Amino acid sequence: MPADHLFQLLRSYDPSDVSMQQFYAVWCQGPTAEEAVGLLHGDPDSGAPDDYAGWGPGSDGSDEAEAGLLAGRMGAWTVLIGDHRIAEDDAVLALTRGEGRALAVSWDFHGECLLKFARSGELLTVLDIYDTDDRSGMDPDALDPYLSGLRFNLDPSDPDEPAAEPAEAFTSALVAVGRVVGQELDKTWLDTTHRCYTMR
């Protein structure tokens, strides 16, 4: 399997030149889709059947426009795909009320690319996908058991380890999330009918 297989899978839904310039997703354990949408100040009553191909990217969140949020279950977790606002720290923490856990991938090809892990209202780990030595949080190493064999860093200075390409680093982040959740984001999930909600 190619090292960038999940990047290429997501890109296959939109092969245009601007495809996969940005991608934001959150996995939360605890809230249902409707509860998660409410915690993110969306409209739980706006849900309509949709899948990833039909949903599209929604608003980029750059203004006050309403955005679309695709939400569906993945085992005991709820998966949310939307604009950059859903992966901001406050949003991720809101999804961890009680004893909940949440992971977020924030991907901007020309900007900030982060993997976040939160639990019970605390941001445990924030990793820079392009340089995992750049990390912060209450427990910066909490995700290390899930990173074995994955390649993130783009630094070509180590002669014994060829630098990863951005698409591979992005895929590694999604694979790490899949290891925590117990299931990777895959074509079956993307093609399944979930629900799309309006985010104010």
Side-chain angles (χ1 to χ4, degrees), residues 22-156:
Q22 296 177 326
F23 181 83
Y24 304 95
V26 178
W27 293 252
C28 57
Q29 187 182 40
T32 65
E34 290 77 13
E35 289 170 340
V37 170
L39 290 168
L40 296 178
H41 308 294
D43 181 1
D45 296 326
S46 66
D50 214 340
D51 59 20
Y52 185 72
W55 166 76
S59 165
D60 65 2
S62 59
D63 53 30
E64 296 302 315
E66 291 184 339
L69 176 65
L70 186 68
R73 293 296 287 178
M74 180 180 283
W77 298 71
T78 295
V79 183
L80 308 154
I81 302 177
D83 66 29
H84 74 92
R85 290 174 283 196
I86 70 166
E88 291 177 352
D89 291 354
D90 288 347
V92 175
L93 292 176
L95 296 169
T96 67
R97 63 181 185 175
E99 298 298 316
R101 295 187 294 168
L103 296 124
V105 171
S106 178
W107 164 263
D108 182 338
F109 188 81
H110 301 292
E112 195 171 63
C113 300
L114 302 173
L115 172 59
K116 301 178 181 181
F117 177 40
R119 183 178 61 218
S120 303
E122 292 185 342
L123 199 57
L124 297 183
T125 309
V126 179
L127 298 179
D128 186 328
I129 292 173
Y130 286 167
D131 179 7
T132 53
D133 289 333
D134 183 358
R135 54 178 67 191
S136 61
M138 300 286 292
D139 185 359
D141 303 328
L143 286 176
D144 282 3
Y146 304 96
L147 305 183
S148 176
L150 301 178
R151 289 172 13 101
F152 295 88
N153 302 321
L154 307 186
D155 183 3

Side-chain angles (χ1 to χ4, degrees), residues 9 13 51 74 183-194:
L9 170 62
Y13 288 85
D51 59 20
M74 180 180 283
Q183 179 182 339
E184 282 187 9
L185 189 65
D186 58 14
K187 184 170 176 56
T188 299
W189 193 93
L190 294 169
D191 290 345
T192 296
T193 298
H194 303 293

